[in-house]
Amino acid sequence: SVVVDAARLTIPDTLVTSFDVVYGEVGFDPTAVEESSIVTVTGREYLFSNLTPETEYEVYVRNRKDDKVSDWSRNPVSFHTLCAPFVVDADNFYVEDFESYEANVTDLGCLVQNYGGSANYRIATEMEYYDNSSWEYVKKYPSNGSNMAYLGSANNSWLFRAVQLKAGQNYSISVDGLECSSYYEAKLSFGVATTPDRSAVTPCLEGYALPDRSDWERVTGYFTVPDDGVYYVGVGIAYGGGTVGIDSLVIRTEACIPPAVTIAAISDASVSFELQSNASYWEMYYSTSKFDADTISADSLILVENLTYAIENLQSNTTYYYAFRSYDEEDNASSWTAVG
């Protein structure tokens, strides 16, 4: 196993129980290493520590019995330490626009891939789908710049970035997403884990269905962490399959995050909402027409001071749209919830 500054070597079972181990950056000569740098291991495992982040290492092993040793292993074992965690705070937010990579590569630097089957992300400058209505192939391009991360066949495929986070701080992760499959429904998920492993993720957004063969859509999830430390924040296609592009990945702090809103009760003339939030107060807006929450007039906003809120005297058999946002004790506003 490999982390930011350490790696654990496991030696297969043999009749030999004592080994010499030596390591260095790629290309070093084990025969030129001083004896003081050679480690004798009794057992099957050895932990290399105090390594340099984002560095390729090679390891050579030889058998030892008392004062007799074999030649060094002909082919070294290699490993690459992970990137140092990015410190996300009020002054620094993480941005990955995929512009620093060449097209078609799957080695995405500090982004750790973890996926089921053979599906993985690669860099693409465009993606294509067949439009059954026009009988033509249609191309889609990155939302910004020249590159995007492209997933040709989703199978619970995740990208993680190691970040340094603090307990009690609000965070968000967001990407532009685009699904281009004619046959599958691609669903986007965000999550946080202590290792870059999709099975260990605590989701903060799960199974968000991207519009089929439409325009890019900005999707955001919000989260906190229980303790100060290094976490792996990830974006994945958690269900289904299909051709998906993501672009402009951002992880940042948030002074205030939107509430989680559910409809507790509804009738022909009223509706009751329940909010899950630790904010000081909230605002909401509703209309019979779909709207862009960021263009709402301040005069039309409704102050909400409790975690339950009811609207009365609604028109029966009518579709209403609504959105909420939070305020903290310093009157910092969150973004709006998605228009429901």
Side-chain angles (χ1 to χ4, degrees):
S1 59
V2 181
V3 292
V4 170
D5 59 356
R8 186 179 300 278
L9 173 69
T10 301
I11 302 171
D13 286 338
T14 67
L15 295 176
V16 180
T17 59
S18 184
F19 307 89
D20 286 347
V21 176
V22 67
Y23 70 97
E25 294 188 21
V26 170
F28 85 102
D29 181 0
T31 64
V33 173
E34 296 182 2
E35 284 293 323
S36 60
S37 298
I38 298 173
V39 178
T40 299
V41 179
T42 301
R44 299 294 173 190
E45 290 189 343
Y46 180 72
L47 179 66
F48 303 96
S49 57
N50 300 316
L51 302 177
T52 303
E54 201 176 352
T55 301
E56 189 81 18
Y57 286 93
E58 290 180 338
V59 180
Y60 290 87
V61 179
R62 69 184 180 189
N63 297 334
R64 171 177 287 277
K65 185 174 182 180
D66 299 326
D67 294 332
K68 297 180 179 180
V69 295
S70 69
D71 292 335
W72 289 107
S73 50
R74 190 170 297 177
N75 298 312
V77 174
S78 63
F79 63 86
H80 193 107
T81 51
L82 304 185
C83 294
F86 184 94
V87 179
V88 179
D89 56 28
D91 298 318
N92 300 281
F93 58 91
Y94 174 77
V95 178
E96 178 56 81
D97 58 13
F98 306 105
E99 294 301 304
S100 62
Y101 308 105
E102 295 183 0
N104 296 316
V105 302
T106 56
D107 181 358
L108 303 186
C110 293
L111 291 167
V112 182
Q113 301 224 38
N114 184 253
Y115 50 88
S118 59
N120 60 349
Y121 291 87
R122 64 177 177 84
I123 298 301
T125 58
E126 63 184 38
M127 58 183 179
E128 186 178 74
Y129 68 90
Y130 186 73
D131 189 330
N132 293 323
S133 60
S134 65
W135 297 69
E136 295 179 341
Y137 283 96
V138 178
K139 290 185 177 181
K140 291 288 188 177
Y141 300 95
S143 65
N144 292 290
S146 302
N147 288 345
M148 59 184 164
Y150 165 82
L151 187 65
S153 177
N155 187 7
N156 200 9
S157 302
W158 284 76
L159 284 179
F160 290 98
R161 180 60 166 98
V163 289
Q164 184 83 35
L165 306 177
K166 284 187 172 293
Q169 173 67 59
N170 296 315
Y171 296 96
S172 68
I173 173 173
S174 58
V175 296
D176 292 337
L178 175 63
E179 192 263 322
C180 281
S181 172
S182 301
Y183 306 104
Y184 300 98
E185 184 179 56
K187 294 185 177 180
L188 189 70
S189 291
F190 297 134
V192 184
T194 54
T195 61
D197 183 348
R198 66 189 188 278
S199 66
V201 162
T202 298
C204 60
L205 179 74
E206 190 169 21
Y208 182 86
L210 292 169
D212 182 23
R213 294 180 294 173
S214 183
D215 293 326
W216 288 93
E217 180 176 352
R218 193 71 185 167
V219 185
T220 304
Y222 301 92
F223 64 95
T224 59
V225 294
D227 302 295
D228 295 357
V230 175
Y231 292 85
Y232 292 86
V233 179
V235 52
I237 307 303
Y239 307 105
T243 304
V244 183
I246 62 171
D247 205 351
S248 300
L249 167 65
V250 177
I251 304 170
R252 66 188 310 154
T253 61
E254 298 284 347
C256 195
I257 62 177
V261 182
T262 56
I263 295 177
I266 190 168
S267 69
D268 62 347
S270 66
V271 62
S272 177
F273 298 97
E274 287 187 357
L275 311 183
Q276 291 183 336
S277 174
N278 59 3
S280 296
Y281 63 96
W282 305 267
E283 287 179 333
M284 73 93 62
Y285 176 79
Y286 69 96
S287 172
T288 55
S289 301
K290 201 155 190 179
F291 57 89
D292 181 350
D294 292 323
T295 62
I296 300 170
S297 169
D299 297 336
S300 303
L301 298 177
I302 300 170
L303 176 64
V304 178
E305 297 181 293
N306 297 298
L307 291 172
T308 59
Y309 183 73
I311 304 174
E312 307 287 346
N313 301 317
L314 299 175
Q315 300 176 24
S316 63
N317 196 30
T318 301
T319 299
Y320 285 85
Y321 301 89
Y322 64 89
F324 286 80
R325 69 180 175 186
S326 303
Y327 283 84
D328 65 14
E329 58 188 8
E330 297 179 355
D331 295 327
N332 294 307
S334 73
S335 57
W336 288 94
T337 60
V339 176

